[in-house]
Amino acid sequence: MASFPSFASTGTLKLEPDSTKHSTVSLLTRKSPSISYPKSQTSTPSESLNFQESLSVITDGSKIETSCYVPLLQECIERTSFSGAQNFHSHIIKTGTHQDVFVMTFLVNVYAKCGSMENAQKVFNKLPRRNVVAWTTLMTGYVHNDQSDVAISVFQEMLEFGSFPTNYTLGIALNACSAINSVELGKQIHGYSIKYHIDHDTSVGNSLCSLYSKCANLDSAIKAFLKIGEKNVVSWTAVICACGDNSKALKGLRFFTEMLADNVEPNEFTLTSVLSMCCTMLSLSFGVQVHCLSIKLGYEPNLRIRNSIMYLYLRCGRFGEALRLFNGMEDMSLVTMNSIIAGYGEMMELAKDDLSAYCNGTEALNVFSKLNNSGFQPDIYSFSSILTVCSKMFALEQGEQVHAQTLKTGHLSDMIVGTALVNMYNKCGSIERASKAFREMSARTLISWTSMIAAFAQNGQTQQALQLFEDMRLMGVRPNQVTFVGVLSACAHAGMVNEALGYFETMQKDFKIKPVMDHYSCLIDMFVRLGLLNEAFVVIKKMDFPPNEYIWSLLLAGCKRDGNTELGFYVAEKLLELKPKNTETCLLLLNMYKSADRWEDVSKVQELMKEKRLKKLMDWSWISIHDKVYSFKPNERQAYGAEMYDYLDELLDKAKSLVGYQSLESFELLEVEEEEGKTLPSNVQHSEKLAVAFGLLNMPNAAPIRIIKNISMCRGCHNFMKAISSLNAREIIIRDSKRLHKFVNGQCSCGDYGGLL
């Protein structure tokens, strides 16, 4: 852009246009609530004309007084009627009124408001003379039509022409600078306003505040706000938004309270900005007060505000209030739909059990269906949210339907949608489709690369994960902490000790990434898998921070498996010191102490569970077939008839005779408890066995069986699934509380992590 011309040559600043120019800029931009026609002896038929009648009068060639054009042109603005503006324009030329600067300047405004800057520029170019009102009108049109760079050029031309900007002109110029992020040019205009002592003007101050905010200079934005002599609601809203946009939500809320104390009534933009900051801070109490204020001011029906309030309740976990707002809405926007879909996704995370989570996911799918049937077009946020829901639901079929829709609408090329699609296929156990979706992405972010590396690692495809990591580096993408978690996890699955330690060192030396708990967890997991318990313990001792419950439980599981009682009891003591909050960890401790007849320690663990209100595990699994959910518990033999149990007995017999399953029966089953509080006998089959038998009986022969289990699988069930996947040539995918297990031809994607259970 050309350098900004010197303001010194323009002389003193003139704040008002010449009195001979009919009106100020505000007349051109003010919207009239109704049209009032002046009385005229020569145009009495026009006194009460409506818009269509006026057009017909013009077509008939009737004469209209000059002053009557203004309300008619204003009606064109209200209707965004470009054709109407052209008709009036023709009549204006025909009657010779085009020599009137006021009418023609108003016509510039009309064309701009109708989105035709080409016509606006042509009218402006033919003006018999140009005053500051005309220049400002043209600039305003370009800014409102997203051509702020042209508006700046018009502003420069105006100065070279010798016309003096008003305070309103400077405000528009500053808005243009803000739109194109031209802070240097904005500073020159700021300096000009200071030189002529109008930086205190409301219009100039508001624009300066917005400019500095967009350029991430909050201090200057606040200074500009404080200089304003007469602060209006736009001024307060500008500084509040500036704080929110620059991650100073608390400061923004303080300005809001000052605004109310100054008896300035907020508008819808103020309230939505404040509610957004409440979401950022998760300040439910303040947000509830803003909700009440919006009702008091009559803004509750406002869709933008209702969306903001609903999103606040969703973010703060008040799903009941959010759903009541949603269900009470007569009018909805795409933002409304997206918010409630994302809200159901959050509810899935906080659900008390997997079945409740599945129900919330089903509701999200229903809202997405409603979105498609209501005339809205899903955007990238709709697709990414619903794909995330599908991944949490283990709902591959629904995810495939969403995938097809992204192809149809052209949203698949978006990186956010593409990454969500990769995650969905991975979480649903389809690594092949996840890989295909990744390869088809037109552009990839660090998150995309990291997601695919983690997907390969979770599915036991170590070489693919490491090769993809090297490809990422060749593409110039710098890995982060999470990327290295995926790489180290891949090495752990394959027992690649040297490679894992090499990557661990590279992470620190080449990329200056300090190891966190997840990195150490991968190394310890690797050593425990390989039976190298002492090496795992050495890694723990080298950590820069205390080990957490997960790391100690990993080592304890390895000690129990390998019979290392000395180290096992030491680890158990460390776990007790942490007072574990996970029920499975406590059960691991109980089994450890019971096997050694250390009943005093058993009592300690039981007391700890009472103190933490940890209940014994309720073994429970479910499977979805044709959108219907079937749940299974070990004690419900009558729920699905004798056929399923007979078939399960047949599967067990085949496993024992053909695969040597007998040796697995000696493994101690995890203790589970019925709702009545009775401990189940050890010969009761775990729920995932019932679910897989039901799936084999009721699903097509080639269809993969997908099961969700609320707790970790025991070693016996893990090996049983390996046997069945080999015997029946079926793909069995089970997602338990710890990880995804994909059983194919007698092998599991977890790398036999089940041996640690």
Side-chain angles (χ1 to χ4, degrees), residues 49 132 149 160 204 229 246 366 438-439 445 517 530 556 691 714:
L49 295 178
V132 68
D149 52 339
E160 293 167 355
V204 173
N246 288 275
N366 290 338
F438 177 79
R439 292 195 304 271
T445 63
M517 194 76 75
L530 297 172
L556 182 61
C714 71

Side-chain angles (χ1 to χ4, degrees), residues 23 45 49 144 153 158 242 248 287 361 376 396 525 642 664:
S23 179
L49 295 178
H144 290 168
S153 298
M158 182 192 80
K248 297 293 181 183
F376 294 115
L396 180 63
D525 176 31
L664 304 177

Side-chain angles (χ1 to χ4, degrees), residues 662-678:
Q662 310 91 299
S663 61
L664 304 177
E665 295 299 315
S666 61
F667 180 77
E668 179 184 1
L669 296 174
L670 282 177
E671 186 178 15
V672 294
E673 186 179 56
E674 290 184 88
E675 294 178 5
E676 294 82 359
K678 297 178 181 178

Side-chain angles (χ1 to χ4, degrees), residues 442-699:
S442 56
R444 304 180 183 109
T445 63
L446 172 61
I447 296 175
S448 309
W449 288 97
T450 301
S451 298
M452 196 64 236
I453 290 170
F456 279 132
Q458 291 164 12
N459 283 270
Q461 299 188 18
T462 299
Q463 294 301 327
Q464 292 90 327
L466 298 183
Q467 182 59 55
L468 192 62
F469 176 71
E470 297 303 329
D471 292 344
M472 183 188 80
R473 293 178 64 181
L474 287 174
M475 292 294 292
V477 181
R478 184 180 179 85
N480 62 8
Q481 283 184 346
V482 183
T483 314
F484 275 103
V485 171
V487 171
L488 294 174
S489 177
C491 294
H493 271 75
M496 299 168 63
V497 176
N498 293 333
E499 289 81 355
L501 296 177
Y503 283 119
F504 189 72
E505 184 177 0
T506 297
M507 176 184 74
Q508 299 174 78
K509 288 187 176 181
D510 295 351
F511 297 98
K512 309 303 179 187
I513 297 175
K514 189 176 181 180
V516 296
M517 194 76 75
D518 287 340
H519 299 126
Y520 285 110
S521 297
C522 292
L523 294 180
I524 294 164
D525 176 31
M526 175 182 66
F527 285 126
V528 170
R529 284 171 182 266
L530 297 172
L532 303 174
L533 302 181
N534 291 329
E535 286 80 353
F537 190 50
V538 168
V539 172
I540 292 175
K541 290 191 290 186
K542 287 182 178 179
M543 289 169 55
D544 295 332
F545 35 79
N548 61 11
E549 178 182 330
Y550 176 72
I551 284 182
W552 284 127
S553 61
L554 267 178
L555 188 55
L556 182 61
C559 292
K560 187 175 187 303
R561 179 199 61 192
D562 296 348
N564 190 334
T565 55
E566 181 180 357
L567 181 58
F569 289 131
Y570 173 83
V571 173
E573 289 298 323
K574 291 295 182 182
L575 266 175
L576 280 176
E577 290 175 8
L578 292 178
K579 295 187 176 180
K581 301 178 180 63
N582 185 278
T583 303
E584 293 188 38
T585 302
C586 290
L587 286 178
L588 188 61
L589 285 169
L590 279 175
N591 285 337
M592 184 83 176
Y593 287 132
K594 283 182 178 180
S595 62
D597 293 331
R598 294 179 57 160
W599 302 109
E600 185 176 341
D601 291 320
V602 169
S603 299
K604 287 181 183 179
V605 177
Q606 290 173 338
E607 287 297 321
L608 175 64
M609 293 180 69
K610 289 180 182 178
E611 178 186 335
K612 297 291 184 181
R613 297 182 179 179
L614 299 176
K615 296 180 179 179
K616 291 184 179 180
L617 295 178
M618 296 287 297
D619 179 23
W620 180 79
S621 297
W622 60 266
I623 186 172
S624 176
I625 302 177
H626 301 306
D627 294 330
K628 186 175 180 181
V629 178
Y630 300 88
S631 61
F632 301 89
K633 292 182 181 179
N635 55 330
E636 294 181 337
R637 288 193 67 88
Q638 306 302 320
Y640 295 104
E643 180 185 4
M644 186 188 74
Y645 289 93
D646 292 340
Y647 183 61
L648 177 58
D649 291 338
E650 180 183 335
L651 291 174
L652 289 167
D653 290 338
K654 286 183 179 180
K656 291 176 184 178
S657 60
L658 298 179
V659 195
Y661 183 71
Q662 310 91 299
S663 61
L664 304 177
E665 295 299 315
S666 61
F667 180 77
E668 179 184 1
L669 296 174
L670 282 177
E671 186 178 15
V672 294
E673 186 179 56
E674 290 184 88
E675 294 178 5
E676 294 82 359
K678 297 178 181 178
T679 300
L680 295 174
S682 60
N683 61 348
V684 171
Q685 302 300 337
H686 284 182
S687 60
E688 63 268 40
K689 290 182 180 178
L690 305 179
V692 78
F694 185 84
L696 289 169
L697 281 173
N698 293 280
M699 295 181 70

Side-chain angles (χ1 to χ4, degrees), residues 199-266:
D199 54 323
H200 64 279
D201 177 78
T202 305
S203 176
V204 173
N206 293 348
S207 298
L208 281 170
C209 183
S210 297
L211 169 68
Y212 285 125
S213 167
K214 191 168 184 182
C215 297
N217 191 340
L218 181 59
D219 290 339
S220 295
I222 293 175
K223 287 178 182 177
F225 166 77
L226 295 175
K227 289 279 288 184
I228 298 174
E230 295 182 9
K231 300 177 179 67
N232 58 18
V233 63
V234 178
S235 312
W236 287 100
T237 302
V239 75
I240 290 168
C241 290
C243 294
D245 293 341
N246 288 275
S247 304
K248 297 293 181 183
L250 181 59
K251 188 183 289 289
L253 296 183
R254 286 173 179 161
F255 274 116
F256 179 65
T257 56
E258 290 179 26
M259 172 186 176
L260 297 178
D262 207 30
N263 294 319
V264 178
E265 184 176 301

